[in-house]
Amino acid sequence: MREAEFKAWLAAQGYAASSIATWRSDARKVDNAYDLDQQFDLDGGASMLAELTYSRADEAAGAPNPSRLDYSGPLYSNLADCRAAAKAYFRFRNSEARPQGRFGELDREAVLEAVAACDAVADVAQYVAGLELGQPAKYWLVLDGKRYPSKAIVRDALARRGSDWLPGGAECKTALERLGFVVIDWPALHRARDAFLRQMPDFSDFRAAAGAYWDVERAYKNALIEQAKAIIARGDDDRAVGESLYRLLSVGGSGLPLSWRTLSEVQNANPDLRDRFYTALGVLARSDGPLEEAVPAAARELEALRDAGIAGLRRGEVLSIPITVWATLRPDQASWFKIAKIDEMGRRLFGRRLFPQTEFRDANLAEWLQLMRALFGLLDKEFGWHPRDMFDVQGFIWVALGDEDESVPDTTETGQANLDLGEGPFWFLGAAFGRTEDQLDRFFEQGFWEISEPGERHREQVLSMLPGQRIAIKSTFTKKQGLPFDNRGRTVSVMAIKATGTITANPGDGERVMVDWDPPFEPREWYHYTYQPTIWEVYPEKELARHMIAFAFAGQPQDVEWVMSKLSNWRDLATFEEAEPEVEIETNALDADPENIILYGPPGTGKTYRTMAEAVRLCLGLDRRNPLIADTAERGQLQAAYHILREKGQIAFVTFHQTFSYEDFVEGLRPVPIKGSAGFELKDEPGIFRTMAEAAVSSPEQFVLIIDEINRANVSKVFGELITLIERDKRLGMPNPLRVLLPYSKREFGVPANLHIIGTMNTADRSIALLDTALRRRFRFEEMAPEPELLGKVDGIDLPSVLAAMNRRIEYLVDRDHRIGHAFFIDCQTKADVDAVMRDKVIPLLQEYFFDDWNRLAAVLGEKDKGGNFLTCEIIEDPMGEGGEPLKSWRVRSYFDEGAYTRLVSARAASPSDLEDQA
């Protein structure tokens, strides 16, 4: 056999050195008896593998050795190991060891030689510089838990073989993957890491038996692992073990990996099929063979059971059930499996579509395990997080990529169905509480649908739902890779239909309806969905609506080409004019109309929320009337979209301050230690503005840079010569594009039209009138004023009147830029909440405004004489007895009585002269 090449292939797969030695040893035994290359050339090894087949039942029955291999020990495990090694060798032979075309100039051994050369240099930057290449930004080769610059490795390997080919970054990624190596999108992994740490802020190490990660992700899994081991240790037969394991992993708790709905379908199946199902799981759990043998055998048995009548064993179940059962008992080898998350992991971190076929394939399983091993090594050696096993890798993926509920579509063709649509409406409903709490299983189990914390409009919609009307559960996300049509590399919005049912009753509480759910099915994806609200009411009056209703409720396929031709008619599906959905239009990103906006206003006027909405609107090309932007009830979905876009790098955030400089914002020189020397050299390093501009200029997407507190820095110094380049007509792709030569990197630089800038400005810090004239000419200013009318009464307190009264007095005593925003009070539900805002936020803010001039502060609160509403004023006499003026000592009262707010509104604000007379 070709042992040297096989060894290089195994190394590329990410196996540990001990595993590689075992695979090679077992493969040699088989090669000596059968000649592996001859068997591969004969029929791909099929007849030889059939001859090596030997089950645990065969061993128990004393069946003889069916193979040419000479074994005196346990036949089942030895033959299983040899079968697995032979399959690995045949996968190696099936792979493109020497791909055709220019890719054929590269081989695995040369790649490993280049990796060794990189290790010998010890400093990656020095290695890359020696090849006269720039530092890698995106793609990195992963090998044995370490990362290597993929382009540099490929260029070095090609040079070692005398090739003059100089492939680019994407070509290098393809070349390495064709040879069986793993290449990761390093910025994507960093974004995933940041997302993980945002949700697990106290995390530092997987070995810690405390903290959010332990409590949420790990502790209950450890308990299930121990319970599973106890089940297989019992004297029960395989069928009983299989049923106990499935029930353990599907019912009786939250966060379980297997579906209780599938359990229900198995229980209702033919008894013989049910027995086969549980027995297959028991045999799998107790198998002595390797994963590569045991899991495929169980998966194919599940496929056979599906064909025989257990329809619930869909593609996702065939994959997840055997892998999850095996992993629960052997977490060092595999992890729990959810096809939606695995698909997302492959696309976002590796740019691959995993498990693309509808049937189980050994090669797909091997590819996933290879990527999981690569992530394990990176989490261990690059992040220093010390994962204990594959369950920690799975926990990282589930948490980090948990922002989207993406599912792999059922690719089975569905014929046209005749559907009597009737009058409608048809309801398309969300089923997630917050961003990640999917309630679908609970809805199925209890036979209803409900909405969490509905607003007034949502209550009205729920109350209007009638028995007999049809509903569909939807989840929404965006997708760029693996589309069934050519979208020219651009992201498309997607709606996955996850379940359908018929309303049977409406309890009249405005929160839920009872539902007779249809049998479960694999989620189906409708493309060019455009961010409709949680409750979407659709009538079949328009052709586009009828197409979507037929897709969701009759299983008809989507005619994507036809839908794309009708995108301008999306407004036909809306049922309320104030929330018309956007119109999706095919555009070139550089043809975009760039926006420079500054949102300004006093503290607490909602600038943060408005900034988030504007950023999402610009990135997705939405109309301001779209419910995602205009409807505050959709705040959760808006936040989810914002975080997804930040993780994708389309939105970036920076805060200006007094010392912020051009070098921080655009580019500057940073000292870099010289290897082997005590000295350093200066190298240019891009700031956030240059980074975003360079990302935008090479992308079809829209990008947004948010500059918080834009008025706190010296804008002229921060932008420098680039202040002209942000003008609309000076952008790249616009009528009068300009480029400049940057001072440190000596690069030509321009600002693309698809990079929008949103600034925020707290007018209490600095008036808009004091802003740099150059900045004022290049930005559109939108005032965010206090809106008392957004508030209501809370425990009898008239909050609109309270806020309006204080702001009138502040405007008189200071100016309108220092008024108080409505957002301070927007979440108040009780008088205690209002009291806390007054004591902890409003009064301290007034102290800042008046520099501890308590007389003027008291005037704003409507206090007179010695206070009594929110303040107490104590008169302190001259302790020297020398006739000094008495001193007023003010303090905030510990309790605000019921009438304090009424007196605040009705009291006359004292003028400065009045206060002087009283002093």
Side-chain angles (χ1 to χ4, degrees):
M1 68 179 189
R2 293 151 52 180
E3 187 167 349
E5 293 178 42
F6 182 45
K7 178 182 177 183
W9 180 83
L10 290 170
Q13 298 295 300
Y15 289 111
S18 58
S19 298
I20 292 174
T22 301
W23 285 98
R24 292 168 61 202
S25 174
D26 289 338
R28 272 191 232 108
K29 294 174 186 175
V30 181
D31 186 60
N32 290 335
Y34 288 90
D35 190 333
L36 285 171
D37 288 312
Q38 182 180 350
Q39 294 295 329
F40 179 82
D41 294 336
L42 177 66
D43 59 0
S47 58
M48 186 205 77
L49 291 172
E51 186 175 318
L52 290 177
T53 300
Y54 192 83
S55 68
R56 193 152 53 87
D58 291 334
E59 186 175 61
N65 183 351
S67 73
R68 306 175 196 172
L69 297 168
D70 183 16
Y71 276 116
S72 57
L75 278 177
Y76 170 73
S77 58
N78 282 324
L79 289 178
D81 290 339
C82 287
R83 234 182 2 256
K87 285 183 178 180
Y89 187 82
F90 294 149
R91 287 203 312 275
F92 150 68
R93 285 295 313 273
N94 270 316
S95 68
E96 290 186 82
R98 294 299 298 271
Q100 299 301 309
R102 299 225 71 171
F103 290 110
E105 298 174 27
L106 186 69
D107 61 73
R108 296 186 187 94
E109 290 81 2
V111 171
L112 295 177
E113 289 171 16
V115 167
C118 183
D119 284 335
V121 175
D123 179 62
V124 172
Q126 185 177 343
Y127 171 77
V128 172
L131 295 169
E132 298 182 346
L133 293 172
Q135 294 302 307
K138 188 174 180 68
Y139 296 126
W140 291 74
L141 166 67
V142 181
L143 202 60
D144 193 25
K146 295 178 63 177
R147 60 188 177 102
Y148 299 86
S150 57
K151 183 193 287 187
I153 292 294
V154 170
R155 294 276 188 93
D156 187 6
L158 288 167
R160 293 170 185 272
R161 294 297 183 263
S163 172
D164 61 353
W165 184 34
L166 299 176
E171 289 176 307
C172 291
K173 177 179 185 289
T174 300
L176 289 168
E177 289 175 341
R178 288 191 176 191
L179 292 174
F181 291 94
V182 173
V183 178
I184 196 163
D185 183 333
W186 188 246
L189 182 61
H190 261 261
R191 290 192 294 272
R193 180 198 64 180
D194 294 343
F196 177 87
L197 293 176
R198 279 198 301 273
Q199 299 187 62
M200 304 291 170
D202 60 350
F203 178 85
S204 61
D205 195 301
F206 283 114
R207 296 172 299 184
Y213 175 79
W214 173 262
D215 294 338
V216 175
E217 281 290 325
R218 188 68 207 210
Y220 83 100
K221 293 176 183 174
N222 283 1
L224 288 172
I225 290 170
E226 293 307 313
Q227 293 177 59
K229 290 179 179 177
I231 288 172
I232 66 168
R234 299 196 306 237
D236 298 343
D237 60 22
D238 290 337
R239 188 222 177 274
V241 166
E243 181 172 3
S244 296
L245 283 173
Y246 196 94
R247 290 184 179 277
L248 173 71
L249 298 174
S250 63
V251 295
S254 61
L256 297 178
L258 299 182
S259 170
W260 64 267
R261 293 202 298 271
T262 302
L263 175 64
S264 176
E265 294 193 42
V266 170
Q267 288 298 105
N268 293 326
N270 176 283
D272 291 337
L273 298 181
R274 182 169 66 239
D275 289 344
R276 280 178 58 189
F277 173 83
Y278 289 131
T279 300
L281 299 190
V283 169
L284 170 67
R286 286 175 161 165
S287 173
D288 297 327
L291 178 157
E292 292 81 2
E293 276 288 298
V295 169
R300 292 192 172 92
E301 173 67 354
L302 296 192
E303 287 181 328
L305 289 170
R306 178 192 60 204
D307 296 338
I310 306 182
L313 295 177
R314 295 169 292 275
R315 169 176 171 270
E317 310 302 317
V318 168
L319 292 169
S320 66
I321 292 172
I323 293 173
T324 296
V325 169
W326 183 273
T328 304
L329 295 162
R330 302 164 184 83
D332 60 317
Q333 298 181 25
S335 74
W336 287 353
F337 187 99
K338 184 178 180 183
I339 187 61
K341 295 298 181 188
I342 299 308
D343 176 61
E344 188 178 3
M345 177 195 86
R347 289 185 298 100
R348 289 174 62 175
L349 302 184
F350 301 96
R352 300 188 188 191
R353 185 180 177 192
L354 302 180
F355 296 91
Q357 287 82 19
T358 55
E359 74 280 357
F360 182 92
R361 294 191 182 181
D362 293 35
N364 294 337
L365 173 65
E367 180 184 23
W368 170 65
L369 290 171
Q370 179 190 18
L371 300 186
M372 291 290 284
R373 289 191 297 270
L375 283 176
F376 182 97
L378 291 171
L379 294 177
D380 186 24
K381 295 183 180 180
E382 289 288 339
F383 291 173
W385 286 357
H386 307 105
R388 287 161 291 193
D389 50 37
M390 290 300 180
F391 270 39
D392 284 335
V393 180
Q394 175 250 313
F396 169 78
I397 295 167
W398 264 229
V399 173
L401 306 185
D403 292 341
E404 300 175 355
D405 184 12
E406 297 195 24
S407 300
V408 176
D410 185 349
T411 56
T412 304
E413 290 290 336
T414 55
Q416 294 293 317
N418 293 320
L419 179 66
D420 181 9
L421 298 180
E423 297 181 357
F426 291 80
W427 300 94
F428 291 78
L429 310 172
F433 289 2
R435 293 175 59 197
T436 58
E437 300 177 29
D438 191 342
Q439 305 295 310
L440 183 56
D441 283 348
R442 185 170 68 90
F443 292 167
F444 256 95
E445 184 177 5
Q446 300 180 20
F448 69 89
W449 171 88
E450 69 177 352
I451 185 171
S452 175
E453 301 179 359
E456 194 59 35
R457 185 173 66 81
H458 284 158
R459 287 187 183 277
E460 292 176 1
Q461 289 177 299
V462 174
L463 289 170
S464 72
M465 296 179 183
L466 301 176
Q469 293 176 350
R470 298 281 280 158
I471 68 172
I473 298 300
K474 65 183 176 75
S475 67
T476 63
F477 46 92
T478 59
K479 202 169 185 178
K480 190 173 183 179
Q481 305 293 332
L483 297 170
F485 55 91
D486 183 8
N487 206 42
R488 289 180 280 178
R490 287 174 292 186
T491 299
V492 65
S493 52
V494 185
M495 172 175 67
I497 300 297
K498 302 172 67 177
T500 54
T502 303
I503 299 173
T504 58
N506 189 327
D509 58 8
E511 296 184 7
R512 68 168 59 188
V513 290
M514 309 311 293
V515 180
D516 178 16
W517 294 106
D518 299 332
F521 53 82
E522 284 288 303
R524 301 175 60 237
E525 293 180 354
W526 173 277
Y527 301 99
H528 292 287
Y529 168 84
T530 51
Y531 291 96
Q532 299 301 329
T534 300
I535 300 177
W536 189 19
E537 182 180 2
V538 178
Y539 289 84
E541 298 172 354
K542 302 292 183 178
E543 190 175 9
L544 184 56
R546 290 195 293 272
H547 272 252
M548 190 178 69
I549 292 168
F551 171 86
F553 297 100
Q556 291 189 11
Q558 181 188 14
D559 186 341
V560 176
E561 184 176 350
W562 183 88
V563 169
M564 291 177 69
S565 71
K566 303 294 183 181
L567 287 177
S568 61
N569 296 328
W570 266 105
R571 66 182 68 248
D572 294 342
L573 277 66
T575 57
F576 41 91
E577 292 184 1
E578 71 273 18
E580 281 190 334
E582 78 283 9
V583 179
E584 286 197 29
I585 301 174
E586 301 277 334
T587 60
N588 184 326
L590 293 183
D591 293 335
D593 191 9
E595 294 198 30
N596 299 330
I597 309 168
I598 288 182
L599 305 175
Y600 71 96
T605 52
K607 292 186 292 296
T608 300
Y609 179 79
R610 174 68 184 285
T611 299
M612 180 170 60
E614 287 293 321
V616 171
R617 177 184 70 81
L618 291 168
C619 280
L620 300 179
L622 304 182
D623 189 279
R624 279 198 172 94
R625 296 169 297 177
N626 185 279
L628 185 69
I629 307 301
D631 187 355
T632 57
E634 300 300 318
R635 186 184 187 105
Q637 290 196 33
L638 177 65
Q639 289 175 325
Y642 175 81
H643 288 300
I644 290 169
L645 290 165
R646 282 203 69 179
E647 289 178 16
K648 290 172 65 178
Q650 287 180 247
I651 297 175
F653 185 96
V654 66
T655 301
F656 277 10
H657 50 78
Q658 290 89 338
T659 61
F660 204 77
S661 66
Y662 178 94
E663 286 72 18
D664 299 311
F665 188 58
V666 183
E667 68 170 15
L669 296 177
R670 298 289 185 270
V672 177
I674 298 175
K675 189 70 175 179
S677 168
F680 64 87
E681 58 181 335
L682 295 176
K683 290 192 174 181
D684 67 279
E685 181 177 298
I688 186 66
F689 186 51
R690 186 183 122 188
T691 299
M692 287 294 286
E694 290 176 347
V697 79
S698 59
S699 171
E701 312 294 347
Q702 301 294 312
F703 288 71
V704 175
L705 175 60
I706 300 171
I707 305 175
D708 194 31
E709 307 282 6
I710 194 170
N711 55 313
R712 295 188 65 208
N714 185 324
V715 174
S716 295
K717 288 186 177 180
V718 171
F719 276 89
E721 74 279 17
L722 306 188
I723 193 70
T724 301
L725 273 60
I726 68 173
E727 293 180 24
R728 181 183 180 281
D729 67 320
K730 306 298 193 304
R731 301 289 194 99
L732 301 182
M734 300 306 283
N736 304 301
L738 285 183
R739 295 178 183 268
V740 299
L741 190 67
L742 295 178
Y744 299 118
S745 64
K746 305 304 180 186
R747 296 185 181 204
E748 273 204 342
F749 179 82
V751 181
N754 60 327
L755 174 58
H756 311 279
I757 303 173
I758 302 175
T760 68
M761 175 177 163
N762 185 344
T763 54
D765 291 339
R766 187 178 182 186
S767 169
I768 188 174
L770 301 177
L771 275 183
D772 185 280
T773 303
L775 185 70
R776 295 182 67 181
R777 285 195 296 107
R778 291 171 172 90
F779 280 81
R780 173 168 56 85
F781 286 78
E782 294 189 17
E783 183 178 19
M784 300 287 293
E787 297 182 76
E789 63 273 14
L790 296 180
L791 305 174
K793 286 190 176 183
V794 174
D795 286 350
I797 300 172
D798 187 354
L799 284 179
S801 298
V802 168
L803 183 61
M806 288 193 293
N807 280 336
R808 283 195 302 271
R809 296 162 189 168
I810 292 171
E811 187 168 355
Y812 181 89
L813 294 171
V814 191
D815 56 40
R816 69 193 310 274
D817 289 340
H818 286 74
R819 290 173 296 171
I820 295 169
H822 54 275
F824 284 112
F825 297 95
I826 201 76
D827 293 325
C828 292
Q829 302 294 322
T830 65
K831 178 180 179 295
D833 294 339
V834 179
D835 289 348
V837 169
M838 288 294 291
R839 179 180 293 106
D840 302 331
K841 296 181 179 180
V842 173
I843 293 176
L845 184 62
L846 294 174
Q847 286 179 262
E848 291 182 22
Y849 285 177
F850 296 113
F851 304 102
D852 284 339
D853 184 342
W854 285 85
N855 288 330
R856 290 155 65 86
L857 189 158
V860 171
L861 298 176
E863 306 280 352
K864 291 185 177 181
D865 302 324
K866 295 185 178 181
N869 296 342
F870 303 93
L871 307 175
T872 295
C873 180
E874 180 184 354
I875 304 299
I876 302 177
E877 301 293 341
D878 178 7
M880 302 295 292
E882 297 177 351
E885 289 290 331
L887 176 68
K888 287 183 177 180
S889 176
W890 296 87
R891 61 180 175 82
V892 180
R893 292 171 62 86
S894 59
Y895 174 76
F896 307 151
D897 65 48
E898 299 293 335
Y901 295 95
T902 303
R903 294 194 295 273
L904 182 153
V905 173
S906 61
R908 180 178 66 87
S911 68
S913 60
D914 290 334
L915 294 172
E916 291 172 3
D917 293 339
Q918 295 171 14

